[in-house]
Amino acid sequence: MHKFELNLPAELDSIRGKGRILLLAVWNFPDIKTHDIVGLFLPCNNVHSNSYRLKTRLALLGWRFDKRPVEGRCKSHYWRLVQIEKPEQG
């Protein structure tokens, strides 16, 4: 088990398993690269599939992954966990 300094926001606390490890890695290391997530935290190289499975649940909780490609690295991205902005209600 990895020791992460920062706890997840309370609304994400119910997520468990590989999804939780992915969330904790991205939350604790904003702009972490895909290959670093695999090398340091998750034993599989299918991080994008894990994030896809979490997509709907994260959206319901008001969060999403922000991924940007790493220039010069095939299939690697910078990862960040961001809160979804709620539209102003008038």
Side-chain angles (χ1 to χ4, degrees):
M1 182 71 179
H2 299 283
K3 178 98 169 115
F4 294 100
E5 255 183 64
L6 302 174
N7 292 322
L8 290 172
E11 58 268 29
L12 301 178
D13 204 37
S14 64
I15 297 174
R16 299 284 177 228
K18 288 180 185 178
R20 183 173 186 79
I21 294 170
L22 176 58
L23 290 173
L24 282 163
V26 173
W27 184 251
N28 277 267
F29 303 98
D31 291 326
I32 190 170
K33 296 176 186 141
T34 306
H35 62 278
D36 291 332
I37 294 171
V38 172
L40 298 171
F41 303 109
L42 289 174
C44 75
N45 62 355
N46 210 351
V47 177
H48 293 286
S49 291
N50 287 328
S51 71
Y52 183 76
R53 280 189 223 109
L54 284 173
K55 186 177 180 178
T56 302
R57 188 162 180 200
L58 284 177
L60 290 171
L61 297 171
W63 292 84
R64 67 176 176 84
F65 286 113
D66 180 40
K67 297 186 263 186
R68 294 175 290 108
V70 174
E71 192 171 317
R73 280 203 75 117
C74 181
K75 297 185 181 180
S76 192
H77 289 79
Y78 294 107
W79 291 67
R80 192 172 276 262
L81 191 59
V82 296
Q83 202 162 18
I84 297 170
E85 292 184 28
K86 296 177 182 171
E88 294 287 327
Q89 294 191 15

